[in-house]
Amino acid sequence: MLFNSIEFLFAFLPIAYLVFWGLPNAKARYVWLTITGYVFYGWWDPRFVLLMAFSTLVSYVAGLGILRSPVGSRARTMYLAVPITVDLALLGFFKYTNFALDTVRSVSTAAGAPIPVPHLDIVLPIGISFYTFHTISYMVDAYRGVITPTRNLWEFSTYVSLFSQLVAGPIVRFRQIEEDLEEIGTSSRTRWLTRGISFFCVGLVEKVLMADTLAALVDPSFANWRALSTSGAWLAVLGYTFQLLFDFSGYSTMAVGLGYLFGIRIPQNFNSPYKALNPSDFWERWHSSLSSCLRDYLYIPLGGNRGGTWNTYRNLMLTMLFGGLWHGASWTFVFWGFYHGLLLCLYRVFRTSWDPLPRGVQQFLMFGSAMVGWVFFRATSFTEALHILRIMVVPTSGSWFSDSNLGLVMLVMLIAAWWSMRGPNAFEMRHEWTPTRMVGLAAAFGAGLALIVTARPSPFLYFQF
């Protein structure tokens, strides 16, 4: 179910909200949030709720096993290793089986000894990468003693299936919302009501008015990438650079707002990443919930920046390669991860030369570096990515975006550039309800609704991951 759909806005959300606040205690609210999470997730395909339920039960039992096992015992280690293996096996089967088979077929064909492996008809469950990260982070934190595993199955199932951040993040760790979950039976409906509505409206503007408007330029341009001119390629890549930010940031902002409506504080996921001054700064700002997970559960266990310069570079590259592969089962995603790993390593090498540069120069160079990476992120093949990058550098004639709404798209492009590189993000805005702000929110919400009613709601780009 989409946040920007009529069904969600006028049926699911009002019912979920009114029933939740009418329930008398924590257990009833846990059960209700679990039910709404499964309805929300099963709206696309009911079969896959069983997969999420299985992962939830396995992780819950593992948490109890870790809780009851002595530190350092073999049983405690098994309670961690076995369920993580199960979770990763499920993720690997659904997300990476065909990627592996296609790679074997391509490599064997290139080597002159083709292996006739099939391409399986596997449907990727939406959001499986996100809730798998939730369950794994829970078990690892329990094993490390960072959290005390909950004995309440309904509380844990609420954490895993919380519909506000279930299918596209942020990746919320149990300890980040544990306090709010524990107090859910006595939380106040009005405490964060205005913040919740305000955050949701800001996110709706980001998605519907910004990202979806830019999609009218980006999607047809990339669909006809062979015919693009140099100017057309620049517009398409710039458009996608802003579209991806406002699409994903819009989802995360709406998720934060929905969390507030139900008394749960979901952490920030985007902190104006195009204001970043260097690659390290960028990854502290872009999809920060994933960045922090990769840092804490992969980079640091690999050794982090301990063990010398070359080990640090190795750990950075392995972490970013995994981050690229997590985003999608494609070699273009793997290369995108490699590219950002390389940027991080180069920044460490040349930091003493980079940091003294004027802030505006640093921001401009980092934005351009990120934009080059997004070409590989968006392209469906290396041929497409390299062609687009080539014509961006070599003047080439060809098609250029032509549409009756060209003026609107270009206006939104300019607003997107200012907002992302100079303006405030949702967490930097004031969310108190002054009369002026109420009028502005009502106007933005009304414009978003008008577009939703008159057009088919578009899925969020990160649903595919």
Side-chain angles (χ1 to χ4, degrees):
M1 193 180 296
L2 301 174
F3 290 165
N4 55 324
S5 66
I6 298 298
E7 297 88 350
F8 180 84
L9 291 171
F10 293 101
F12 179 88
L13 181 56
I15 293 172
Y17 180 83
L18 293 173
V19 172
F20 175 84
W21 289 111
L23 295 171
N25 54 52
K27 181 178 180 180
R29 291 178 177 181
Y30 289 147
V31 172
W32 178 246
L33 285 179
T34 298
I35 291 172
T36 56
Y38 277 82
V39 170
F40 177 85
Y41 190 72
W43 194 263
W44 168 62
D45 191 328
R47 294 174 300 173
F48 291 117
V49 300
L50 297 176
L51 188 65
M52 185 169 66
F54 174 75
S55 182
T56 299
L57 288 172
V58 168
S59 302
Y60 170 72
V61 172
L64 293 182
I66 291 171
L67 180 64
R68 295 165 181 167
S69 303
V71 175
S73 67
R74 179 181 176 86
R76 187 180 178 89
T77 302
M78 293 300 294
Y79 277 120
L80 175 70
V82 173
I84 287 182
T85 301
V86 171
D87 277 348
L88 292 179
L90 289 172
L91 178 63
F93 172 77
F94 283 100
K95 193 168 184 176
Y96 300 107
T97 296
N98 278 324
F99 171 61
L101 294 176
D102 292 344
T103 298
V104 169
R105 187 186 311 108
S106 299
V107 171
S108 63
T109 300
I115 300 175
V117 293
H119 185 90
L120 303 180
D121 185 18
I122 299 175
V123 178
L124 176 65
I126 287 177
I128 187 172
S129 297
F130 286 92
Y131 71 72
T132 298
F133 245 129
H134 286 140
T135 55
I136 289 178
S137 70
Y138 173 84
M139 289 182 288
V140 173
D141 283 353
Y143 182 82
R144 291 175 174 175
V146 176
I147 62 170
T148 300
T150 178
R151 298 176 183 272
N152 190 324
L153 174 60
W154 292 110
E155 180 183 14
F156 182 69
S157 63
T158 296
Y159 162 67
V160 177
S161 63
L162 192 63
F163 71 84
S164 56
Q165 44 79 57
L166 175 58
V167 295
I171 300 170
V172 181
R173 304 190 211 186
F174 184 76
R175 67 175 183 261
Q176 292 176 310
I177 61 172
E178 182 178 10
E179 179 182 349
D180 293 336
L181 288 175
E182 292 291 334
E183 298 175 355
I184 204 167
T186 57
S187 57
S188 168
R189 183 182 65 83
T190 59
R191 182 180 181 185
W192 294 315
L193 176 62
T194 58
R195 291 181 64 82
I197 294 175
S198 182
F199 266 89
F200 188 84
C201 289
V202 171
L204 188 70
V205 169
E206 290 184 81
K207 167 60 177 174
V208 177
L209 298 185
M210 304 297 293
D212 287 354
T213 302
L214 293 172
L217 161 67
V218 173
D219 294 345
S221 296
F222 275 93
N224 298 283
W225 56 273
R226 293 183 184 277
L228 286 175
S229 65
T230 295
S231 57
W234 273 99
L235 276 177
V237 174
L238 276 170
Y240 181 69
T241 298
F242 295 123
Q243 178 202 7
L244 182 64
L245 169 65
F246 285 105
D247 192 281
F248 194 16
S249 175
Y251 184 96
S252 297
T253 303
M254 282 190 272
V256 170
L258 291 169
Y260 277 127
L261 291 180
F262 291 86
I264 297 174
R265 290 167 293 181
I266 293 175
Q268 184 177 11
N269 202 27
F270 284 85
N271 183 19
S272 302
Y274 294 154
K275 295 179 183 177
L277 303 181
N278 55 67
S280 179
D281 188 21
F282 178 82
W283 280 104
E284 290 178 359
R285 294 170 176 267
W286 177 277
H287 200 355
S288 54
S289 64
L290 173 64
S291 301
S292 62
C293 281
L294 291 176
R295 178 196 65 210
D296 294 345
Y297 302 122
L298 185 58
Y299 177 69
I300 292 177
L302 283 172
N305 55 8
R306 306 182 304 275
T309 301
W310 288 108
N311 285 337
T312 299
Y313 295 157
R314 179 203 65 189
N315 298 337
L316 280 172
M317 293 302 301
L318 289 174
T319 300
M320 296 310 299
L321 284 170
F322 179 84
L325 187 61
W326 178 87
H327 277 85
S330 167
W331 285 108
T332 54
F333 285 116
V334 175
F335 181 82
W336 173 79
F338 167 82
Y339 171 78
H340 273 279
L342 182 62
L343 290 181
L344 288 167
C345 292
L346 289 174
Y347 173 64
R348 283 181 170 267
V349 174
F350 298 105
R351 183 169 185 169
T352 55
S353 300
W354 179 281
D355 288 350
L357 294 173
R359 291 177 62 88
V361 173
Q362 292 184 55
Q363 184 182 0
F364 176 78
L365 292 175
M366 187 61 237
F367 176 80
S369 299
M371 189 172 67
V372 170
W374 293 137
V375 176
F376 291 94
F377 196 86
R378 177 60 173 80
T380 57
S381 67
F382 284 108
T383 300
E384 177 182 345
L386 294 175
H387 174 82
I388 291 173
L389 289 174
R390 181 181 65 81
I391 64 174
M392 289 174 70
V393 177
V394 180
T396 305
S397 60
S399 66
W400 196 74
F401 178 72
S402 178
D403 189 270
S404 58
N405 294 321
L406 177 60
L408 174 62
V409 172
M410 296 307 295
L411 175 62
V412 170
M413 182 92 78
L414 291 173
I415 295 173
W418 173 83
W419 192 356
S420 63
M421 304 184 78
R422 289 291 181 267
N425 61 57
F427 280 80
E428 296 169 335
M429 297 177 181
R430 295 181 60 187
H431 295 280
E432 293 77 15
W433 276 15
T434 63
T436 302
R437 184 163 183 77
M438 288 180 65
V439 172
L441 283 173
F445 190 71
L449 284 182
L451 287 177
I452 291 171
V453 171
T454 57
R456 181 180 178 183
S458 62
F460 291 85
L461 296 179
Y462 257 69
F463 275 19
Q464 63 183 299
F465 308 129

